[in-house]
Every structure is written in structure tokens, then in C-alpha cells.
């Protein structure tokens, strides 16, 4: 049997709580350095931690959404290590008793569904940040120290870099739907560390595990996993390079992984139960309340959009990428006769505008009712698509309604057969060469004649009708 890749993933997500994990300092990104600190998150002697209820709820919410069990009782543990960004010299985490455990995420695969088992989703605190200056000095910044952090760990169920990538998109979207984390990798709110090795399924023999750090986008995770799989396979087959258990970092510029340090084991951290915190025992009624408040998740919502609106699966996938975009689409679709047309507009012009402006749907200065007014005019044949695109831009620029713009500027589509017939005849008379081509069998030549009529009407002619009239006249 050939060697098989095994990949596991550890994801850390910062929770969007109001305050930090064990103190009342604000959990806010981008504040002046060290402005959100206190004796607890600076680890000063005599200070005592108090757990954040909203953070506990966020992990339970996530656990339930991933089909995990919520522990009846669990404890925090100290993970001991020295690093300048960790003021206490230990991190409060969870070790042998995670808050939630044993769930799964189902991926679409490549038309072949794949189940990734979730080993655990637990709660811990984030560290501060070391900022390395070009003069060789290092600054330590403590605003992030003590920010609630959720760690989601999978079983080593991934076989390809593509599945790892799909998992990260899926998990990110689930966390955003749940409202527990913004999960923005560029802001360091979601960080992931894949562990990769190869196994011989016959003998059970395996190459040493390699963990990769320093990954700051889903794209770099994908590239790093691909690179590392290839490096290890080559090393195992050729024996040119000795494989060792280690932590490697991803070099964004050279697109290679490189040794960072030899892998520490759990023993190195000397975990022990956190003596300053009582065990957590979430009340069953509270867990049921959280379960009842779970929103419809992206996958279920995409499946419903296919059924309720008759959309292609592709459209449904794109529209449910974020909860806000899906809400927006549904609000537009509710008020138009053609849901697919609404989908085309949201997926096309709306998303193009968002990409160009770099914002999310909340920044679009166009209420769903405004867009449905425009879509309805297209559906009714009052304006054609070309005109509608101009109207869309004007609606955003001028803040006016679609109907209002169409009336004020006389943009309604020309569907008057008499007038169009006259224009068609002129197009035929003006373009003898094209007409000859068409009659000689070049059927595509008709496009140029339609174009001539559209030009004469500044794009307002009903193109379908023009096409029909031309065919009739040309025989
Ligand atoms: Zn604090
Ligand atoms: Mn961790």
C-alpha cells in the first residue's frame, strides 16, 4: 500500500466578547498599547481570575453547532511556559477536561462528502504580542493578553490540502453565523496550525509529526500543507532528508516551510488544574436555552435556498457565505417575481460593488427593497439588463429609487413594435455586407445588426424583440 497523508488541524479563534476572559478589561482590537490592562491580565501577585460567562456561552454555542457534547463538569488547567508576551508565565487553558468534545463538520468534498471529526472545542486565554523592531529591540504589548480564545481541534481526518481549505472556510462561516467570533485571519482573530505526517496503512508505520505555525491566511494554510505533504513524501521515499518531529514555520516569501524548533510534548508544559478557579458546571437548562437559540447554519441555509427559491446549488453556496448576505438576498427575493434574477443581481452587481469598495453588505447604501424595485423593473421588461446596470450605479450615487430614475430619464425599454421595425429596417439598409454574410449562412452576423439597433436607441431597445424582428425581415 502507498503511504497515506494524515492531517489534523488546531484552530484558535478570538471570541467577540465585551470583556476579557478573566477580568473586566475591554476586549477591543486596535486600542492604544497597554490601555486595556489590569492586575489580573498582567498577572500581578495576589490578583484572582473570574471566568467570563459570555465566553463560556460562546464555546458551548460553537460546541453545540458542531454536534459536540457539552461537559457536565470541567476544569481549567495551567499550561506552564515562559515567554515575554505571557505575563503570568502560564496560560490558563483546558487540558484533560475540555468544555465540549466529540463533534464533526461535514464537508462537500469534490461531490464526495467528507466528515471531519472534532476532538474538542475548549476555552483558554490569549497571550499578548511581541513586536520586534528593526533595531533589534522587542516591545511587548498586553492588550491582547487575557482575550478569550477558543481552541477547536480536529482528529487527523484530512487527506488533502483542499479539504483543509474547505474546512477553514466552513468553520469560519459557522463562527460568524453564530456571532461568536469575527474570525478575521488578517487581524489574527483566527489562527491555525496543521499537523502533518504520512502513514503506511498496512504496517501502521508513520513519519514523525510536523506542526506548521505562522500561517495568516487560508491561502497560506493551503499552500503550506501542500508543500509539507510533498516534502515529507519525497523525504520518506528518497531518504535524502531525515524527518523529525518538529515545529516548522511557513515562509510566506519563499513559499517553503523551515525548521523553527524541535517539538515540545505536553509533558514540557507541566499542566496542572488551575487552583484559582472552581470547576465549571454549566446548568442543563442553560445549555438547552443556548441550543434553542442556535441560528440556521450556512449548510442548512444553502440547502433551504435551493428548495425554497429553486436556486442552483452554486448560487446558494455563494449567497450563504455570510449571514448578512443571505439575509439581504432573502429580503430582495421576497419582493420580486423571479428569485433567480434576484440571485443574479446579488451575486453579480452587488458583490462586485462590495469587492470594489472592500466592504460587507452592511456598507451597501441600497436597502433590499430598493434593489427589489430595480429587479422587478427588469423582470417586467420595463428596462433591459444594460439599462438596469446604469440605474443600479445611479441609485447608489444619487440615492434615488429605480422607478424614479427610469421615469425622470426616460429609460424605459422600447418594446413598441412599430418603432423597432423602422429601426430594424434602417439597420438592414445601412449594413448590406453584414446582411449578405447572414444570408450566406453566417448566422452569427445577426449580432452586429442587433448591436446597430441597440446603439441607435442608446441601449434601450428590447433586444429579444429586435432579434425576432430581424430574423423575420431577413427571411
Ligand atoms: Zn485585565
Ligand atoms: Mn491553545
Amino acid at each position: 500500500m502507498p503511504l497515506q497523508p494524515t492531517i489534523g488541524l488546531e484552530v484558535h479563534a478570538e471570541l467577540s466578547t465585551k470583556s476579557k476572559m478573566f477580568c473586566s478589561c475591554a476586549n477591543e482590537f486596535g486600542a492604544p498599547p497597554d490601555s486595556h490592562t489590569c492586575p489580573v491580565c498582567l498577572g500581578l501577585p495576589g490578583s484572582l481570575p473570574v471566568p467570563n460567562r459570555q465566553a463560556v456561552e460562546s464555546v458551548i454555542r460553537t460546541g453545540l453547532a458542531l454536534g459536540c457534547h457539552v461537559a457536565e463538569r470541567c476544569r481549567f488547567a495551567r499550561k506552564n511556559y515562559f515567554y515575554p508576551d505571557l505575563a503570568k508565565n502560564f496560560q490558563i487553558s483546558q487540558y484533560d477536561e475540555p468544555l465540549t468534545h466529540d463533534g464533526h463538520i461535514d464537508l462537500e468534498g469534490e461531490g464526495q462528502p467528507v466528515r471531519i471529526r472534532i476532538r474538542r472545542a475548549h476555552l483558554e486565554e490569549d497571550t499578548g504580542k511581541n513586536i520586534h523592531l528593526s533595531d533589534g529591540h522587542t516591545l511587548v504589548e498586553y492588550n491582547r493578553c487575557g482575550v478569550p480564545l477558543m481552541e477547536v481541534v480536529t482528529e487527523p481526518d484530512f487527506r488533502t490540502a483542499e479539504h483543509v481549505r474547505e474546512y477553514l472556510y466552513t468553520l469560519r462561516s459557522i463562527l460568524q453565523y453564530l456571532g461568536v467570533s469575527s474570525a478575521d485571519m488578517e487581524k489574527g482573530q483566527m489562527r491555525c496550525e496543521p499537523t502533518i505526517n504520512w502513514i503506511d496503512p498496512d504496517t501502521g508505520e508513520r513519519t514523525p509529526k510536523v506542526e506548521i505555525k505562522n500561517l495568516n491566511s487560508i491561502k497560506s494554510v493551503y499552500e503550506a500543507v501542500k508543500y509539507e505533504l510533498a516534502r515529507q513524501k519525497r523525504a520518506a521515499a528518497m531518504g535524502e532528508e531525515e524527518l523529525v518531529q518538529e515545529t516548522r514555520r511557513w515562509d510566506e516569501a519563499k513559499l517553503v516551510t523551515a525548521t523553527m524548533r524541535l517539538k515540545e510534548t505536553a509533558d514540557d508544559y507541566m499542566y496542572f488544574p488551575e487552583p484559582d478557579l472552581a470547576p465549571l458546571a454549566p446548568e442543563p437548562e442553560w445549555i438547552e436555552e443556548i441550543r434553542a437559540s442556535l441560528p440556521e447554519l450556512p449548510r442548512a441555509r444553502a440547502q433551504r435556498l435551493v428548495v425554497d427559491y429553486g436556486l442552483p446549488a452554486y448560487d446558494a453556496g455563494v449567497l450563504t457565505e455570510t449571514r448578512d448576505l443571505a439575509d439581504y438576498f432573502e429580503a430582495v427575493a421576497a419582493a420580486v417575481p423571479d428569485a433567480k434574477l434576484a440571485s443574479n443581481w446579488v451575486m453579480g452587481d452587488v458583490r462586485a460593488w462590495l469587492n470594489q469598495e472592500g466592504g460587507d453588505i452592511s456598507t451597501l447604501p441600497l436597502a433590499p427593497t430598493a434593489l427589489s424595485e430595480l429587479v422587478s423593473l427588469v423582470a417586467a421588461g420595463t428596462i433591459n439588463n444594460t439599462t438596469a446596470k446604469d440605474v443600479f450605479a445611479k441609485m447608489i450615487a444619487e440615492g434615488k429609487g429605480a422607478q424614479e430614475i427610469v421615469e425622470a430619464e426616460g429609460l424605459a425599454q422600447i418594446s413598441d413594435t412599430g418603432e423597432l421595425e423602422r429601426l430594424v429596417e434602417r439597420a438592414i439598409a445601412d449594413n448590406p455586407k453584414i446582411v449578405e454574410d447572414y444570408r450566406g449562412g453566417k448566422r452569427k452576423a445577426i449580432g452586429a445588426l442587433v448591436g446597430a439597433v441597440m446603439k441607435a436607441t442608446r441601449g434601450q431597445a428590447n433586444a429579444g424583440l429586435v432579434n425576432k424582428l430581424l430574423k423575420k425581415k431577413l427571411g
Side-chain angles (χ1 to χ4, degrees):
M1 277 281 267
L3 290 177
Q4 263 182 17
T6 50
I7 310 161
L9 209 56
E10 212 179 280
V11 172
H12 284 91
E14 278 183 1
L15 299 173
S16 339
T17 52
K18 287 199 190 71
S19 56
K20 290 190 182 178
M21 187 57 227
F22 298 112
C23 61
S24 54
C25 289
N27 172 14
E28 185 197 8
F29 182 81
D34 296 339
S35 56
H36 297 320
T37 54
C38 75
V40 174
C41 54
L42 289 176
L44 300 188
S47 62
L48 286 173
V50 178
N52 180 330
R53 187 176 169 95
Q54 198 193 351
V56 175
E57 174 170 344
S58 298
V59 173
I60 295 177
R61 246 172 114 65
T62 307
L64 291 174
L66 303 182
C68 290
H69 298 285
V70 179
E72 282 170 32
R73 186 179 178 283
C74 67
R75 280 189 299 186
F76 287 102
R78 279 193 191 180
K79 181 178 183 181
N80 296 281
Y81 65 100
F82 172 76
Y83 208 61
D85 63 9
L86 188 65
K88 295 197 292 272
N89 285 347
F90 62 84
Q91 178 193 31
I92 302 181
S93 179
Q94 295 195 288
Y95 184 48
D96 49 350
E97 298 179 50
L99 181 51
T100 73
H101 58 91
D102 293 307
H104 61 265
I105 284 184
D106 289 325
L107 305 178
E108 305 290 342
E110 294 81 34
Q112 186 83 329
V114 181
R115 171 158 290 195
I116 304 298
R117 290 169 299 158
I118 305 290
R119 184 181 296 169
R120 56 195 281 157
H122 79 227
L123 192 51
E124 57 187 41
E125 56 179 341
D126 210 345
T127 60
K129 265 184 207 163
N130 291 327
I131 301 159
H132 305 291
L133 303 180
S134 52
D135 66 3
H137 288 84
T138 292
L139 304 176
V140 192
E141 209 270 287
Y142 287 112
N143 276 348
R144 204 180 67 178
C145 208
V147 162
L149 201 59
M150 174 169 59
E151 183 178 315
V152 181
V153 185
T154 73
E155 296 294 341
D157 287 348
F158 298 98
R159 298 286 170 265
T160 68
E162 283 72 22
H163 292 168
V164 171
R165 180 172 60 185
E166 191 190 340
Y167 170 89
L168 289 172
Y169 281 122
T170 307
L171 178 65
R172 184 176 72 179
S173 144
I174 290 173
L175 299 183
Q176 289 168 346
Y177 265 64
L178 293 171
V180 300
S181 173
S182 308
D184 184 340
M185 282 191 82
E186 278 171 22
K187 288 187 183 161
Q189 291 163 337
M190 184 164 124
R191 312 192 280 271
C192 47
E193 284 140 29
T195 300
I196 299 162
N197 64 339
W198 289 79
I199 182 167
D200 183 328
D202 287 338
T203 63
E205 225 173 299
R206 51 186 75 216
T207 59
K209 281 185 191 166
V210 171
E211 185 176 333
I212 310 176
K213 293 206 189 277
N214 197 31
L215 298 159
N216 50 24
S217 67
I218 293 180
K219 187 167 165 269
S220 38
V221 177
Y222 172 74
E223 283 169 351
V225 169
K226 262 191 117 81
Y227 175 87
E228 189 57 24
L229 281 173
R231 183 188 75 89
Q232 291 181 21
K233 191 177 191 185
R234 219 168 35 233
M238 314 286 191
E240 300 168 341
E241 186 184 359
E242 197 199 347
L243 289 171
V244 288
Q245 180 166 327
E246 61 177 341
T247 300
R248 294 174 76 87
R249 64 184 173 80
W250 175 241
D251 187 324
E252 192 76 54
K254 294 186 191 141
L255 300 179
V256 298
T257 62
T259 298
M260 197 168 155
R261 56 173 181 259
L262 293 184
K263 177 68 183 164
E264 57 282 281
T265 66
D267 292 344
D268 296 333
Y269 292 120
M270 293 179 291
Y271 280 98
F272 63 84
E274 169 57 57
D276 287 343
L277 287 166
L280 280 180
E283 310 89 355
E285 302 76 38
W286 187 38
I287 296 173
E288 286 321 303
E289 242 172 68
I290 299 170
R291 192 193 303 276
S293 76
L294 289 179
E296 184 180 31
L297 294 171
R299 198 163 193 252
R301 192 164 190 180
Q303 285 163 351
R304 182 173 60 76
L305 292 192
V306 169
V307 175
D308 285 5
Y309 297 95
L311 294 182
Y314 175 78
D315 290 38
V318 173
L319 294 170
T320 52
E321 266 168 15
T322 71
R323 196 174 164 177
D324 291 347
L325 189 69
D327 286 347
Y328 187 90
F329 163 75
E330 289 209 73
V332 175
V336 301
D338 183 347
K340 175 59 181 147
L341 193 58
S343 164
N344 291 348
W345 274 89
V346 175
M347 292 211 310
D349 294 67
V350 168
R351 275 171 76 248
W353 187 87
L354 297 178
N355 281 341
Q356 190 192 314
E357 302 291 318
D360 56 43
I361 194 78
S362 66
T363 64
L364 179 73
L366 211 56
T369 46
L371 184 62
S372 49
E373 191 182 309
L374 177 67
V375 174
S376 297
L377 290 174
V378 179
T382 312
I383 53 175
N384 62 29
N385 245 318
T386 319
T387 308
K389 283 177 186 297
D390 293 340
V391 175
F392 177 80
K394 282 198 177 114
M395 288 167 80
I396 290 177
E398 298 167 14
K400 289 185 192 148
Q403 184 81 45
E404 191 187 347
I405 294 171
V406 169
E407 276 169 19
E409 304 191 13
L411 298 175
Q413 185 163 246
I414 303 166
S415 298
D416 173 339
T417 325
E419 188 177 352
L420 289 181
E421 237 170 287
R422 210 166 38 74
L423 292 165
V424 161
E425 275 162 17
R426 198 200 299 160
I428 291 173
D430 289 350
N431 298 284
K433 173 82 178 70
I434 297 169
V435 171
E436 196 181 307
D437 285 351
Y438 177 83
R439 291 199 167 123
K442 269 186 159 179
R443 295 284 151 180
K444 274 190 187 154
I446 200 166
L449 297 172
V450 175
V453 176
M454 295 308 284
K455 200 174 163 206
T457 58
R458 298 191 347 265
Q460 280 171 249
N462 180 329
L465 207 50
V466 171
N467 211 302
K468 217 184 280 173
L469 290 171
L470 274 168
K471 279 191 180 146
K472 205 171 91 190
K473 298 259 178 224
L474 293 170

